[in-house]
Structure formats: structure tokens, C-alpha cells
Amino acid sequence: MQSTLQRAETADAQDLQREIDSLGPWFHNLHLPGGVQTLPNSFIGGDFPRFKWLEIAPHIPQDLSGWRVLDVGCNAGFYSFELARRGASVLAIDVEELYLNQARWAAKQFGLDKQVEFRHMGVYEVAQLQEQFDLVWFMGVFYHLRYPMLALDLLAQKTRKLLMFQTLTMPGEEVYPHTEDHPLEKREPLLEPGWPKMAFIEHRFAGDESNWWVANHAGVEAMLRASGLRILTRPAHEMYLCEPDPSSKARFWAGHGVVGQALGALHVVAG
């Protein structure tokens, strides 16, 4: 027989579950205070994205006090909350109001609504922000973008200390060693498995029409370097932790307004 306290806890959990259901569908599984979860049976498998965070967490400073973080494509806010718990002030952005509503609600459940600000904003709009960020979180977004390299260039410019990057990739770890230059008539190396490349998805991939690109490992490394970043470590498959590389030639090009010109052209196309 349940005690009065147990009945009250059961009723609270049922009320919380009704709120969760009303805010769905969910993509992030959040462990809310009291033990209720938002998506305990993810179609991705496992406790998503917690199992990814457990791979990344040891590579991120434990104390982020005083750090300003940008979480691009924050979804329901899982990573924003974990970084805020380490002391960071987080600006979390997404283009989906569904996810932002979930995240704002969850932030109140966790008592983190003062540390995390959620904003309806696309990645290209980051160019309008008049600040840099100590840590830029850019996971699960790159391959959904029509103009991915433009976004990466932009975010690299906004990164003060670290950038955490993840994207969908092709199988294989090959890296072709000689990509500096080739004569126009010598194009065979472009077909080598380790030549940096991306496959373009015209229709849909994994049933998702928002998937546009799948890069190979060599391509990811090359694009990160070309955006002015140095790869520090790979916490897990498809994940790359980077820092700005002051010696990169990409910094020269960024300083000459190439990204700004591209954003201007993008605005014209979108308009």
C-alpha cells in the first residue's frame, strides 16, 4: 500500500509526464529532477545524447566559470545544460520553435534558466552577433546545411578557445598525403579514398530530406584546417575538438571579408 508521500510523488510524475507529452516529439532524452525522462527509448539507440556526452566530457574543462559558450542547433538543450553545470554562460540557438520551447521549459526544471539563454536563430545569423565565444558547440548541424563551409568559416571566426565539431561521415579513415597541388591534367588523385571530399545528397539520406552532405574523414580534417582551426583531439567517432590556429592562412582570408561577402550573397539568394 502506497504512503501519502509515494502517492504525491506518483501524481507529480504523472503531471510531469503529461507536460513532456504536450511538448513532444522529443529528440533529446533529458533526465529531469525526480527521475522522469523525456525520451527514454530513443530511435537512435541508447540514452541519447548522454552516451555521446560521456565520450566528450573528459576532453572539456571541468570548470567553465567565466566561459561564454555558443550552442548551435541546441535542440532541447542537453549540451547547453551540461556546459552550464560546469559554470558556463550559454547562448543556445536553434531554428525550430518546437525544440526551443522544450529547452526553455527544461531549463526551468533544472534551475538553469539564468545561465542559459535560448534564441530563435540560424547559424548564418551568428554573423550579426557582436561577440566571440570561448567555446562553440557545433554538433549534428553541419550536414544539414545547404552552405556548410560558410557556416564553419563563420563559427571559426567566432571561436576564442575551443570548437567542438561533429558531423555525419563516410566510412574509412584514409588520408591522402599529397593534396598541396596537382597539374590540371592530373586528376586521378581526386578519386583516391583519402582525398578530402563530400558526397552530395540530392534527395534524402536515412529518410531525412534535410541531410545534404556526407564528408569523409580526410574532408572533415581539411575543412577544419581551411577554416583556421587546429584539431586537438578526437573524443570519439565523427567528433573533433579544435582550437583557433593563428598561423593558418584561413585567418588571412577571413580578415579580408570573404565570409562577409559570401553572407551578403546568401542574403540576396534567400531574398
Side-chain angles (χ1 to χ4, degrees):
M1 186 173 180
Q2 283 188 325
S3 67
T4 301
L5 178 59
Q6 289 173 324
R7 287 195 296 272
E9 290 176 345
T10 299
D12 288 344
Q14 290 173 343
D15 289 343
L16 193 59
Q17 189 60 57
R18 279 191 285 269
E19 289 189 70
I20 291 170
D21 293 342
S22 70
L23 288 164
W26 293 76
F27 186 62
H28 281 181
N29 184 37
L30 306 178
H31 292 241
L32 301 171
V36 178
Q37 300 178 40
T38 57
L39 188 65
N41 299 307
S42 170
F43 70 91
I44 292 178
D47 188 359
F48 178 82
R50 182 174 295 275
F51 71 85
K52 287 186 177 292
W53 168 250
L54 293 176
E55 295 175 312
I56 302 167
H59 303 276
I60 303 298
Q62 187 65 39
D63 185 2
L64 295 177
S65 300
W67 283 48
R68 181 67 166 154
V69 173
L70 175 66
D71 184 358
V72 179
C74 63
N75 203 277
F78 177 91
Y79 294 114
S80 294
F81 300 140
E82 293 296 338
L83 298 167
R85 289 189 183 104
R86 295 192 175 195
S89 167
V90 183
L91 172 60
I93 66 172
D94 207 295
V95 296
E96 293 289 344
E97 286 289 358
L98 170 70
Y99 297 140
L100 291 171
N101 288 335
Q102 294 172 354
R104 293 185 182 109
W105 176 84
K108 293 179 181 178
Q109 303 299 315
F110 291 125
L112 293 172
D113 48 317
K114 302 299 183 184
Q115 280 181 257
V116 186
E117 175 192 358
F118 293 97
R119 223 182 269 184
H120 186 273
M121 178 182 289
V123 61
Y124 307 113
E125 295 175 273
V126 170
Q128 301 170 11
L129 300 176
Q130 301 301 309
E131 63 175 316
Q132 279 192 308
F133 297 86
D134 298 293
L135 170 60
V136 172
W137 206 263
F138 190 35
M139 293 185 60
V141 177
F142 185 80
Y143 52 97
H144 292 301
L145 299 175
R146 184 83 172 191
Y147 310 100
M149 195 66 188
L150 176 58
L152 184 57
D153 283 343
L154 170 60
L155 294 178
Q157 288 186 46
K158 293 293 185 180
T159 301
R160 186 180 292 117
K161 295 178 181 177
L162 296 174
L163 183 143
M164 185 66 221
F165 180 85
Q166 183 273 334
T167 189
L168 181 67
T169 61
M170 302 179 195
E173 296 284 313
E174 301 91 345
V175 176
Y176 190 80
H178 307 297
T179 60
E180 292 80 8
D181 193 12
H182 287 277
L184 185 62
E185 66 276 8
K186 188 175 175 57
R187 306 181 195 184
E188 292 79 8
L190 299 173
L191 299 176
E192 293 291 333
W195 187 277
K197 57 173 68 77
M198 287 207 294
F200 176 70
I201 309 301
E202 181 181 1
H203 303 293
R204 61 181 66 217
F205 190 80
D208 188 343
E209 62 182 10
S210 74
N211 288 330
W212 287 103
W213 304 95
V214 183
N216 64 357
H217 163 66
V220 172
E221 287 192 327
M223 287 185 286
L224 291 169
R225 289 192 300 267
S227 291
L229 297 167
R230 178 192 296 122
I231 299 166
L232 295 174
T233 188
R234 296 177 61 193
H237 178 58
E238 300 185 334
M239 299 182 193
Y240 302 77
L241 182 63
C242 311
E243 67 178 359
D245 181 0
S247 67
S248 171
K249 293 180 180 179
R251 291 286 166 178
F252 171 86
W253 291 113
H256 281 69
V258 174
V259 173
Q261 293 170 20
L263 286 167
L266 178 59
H267 179 74
V268 171
V269 171

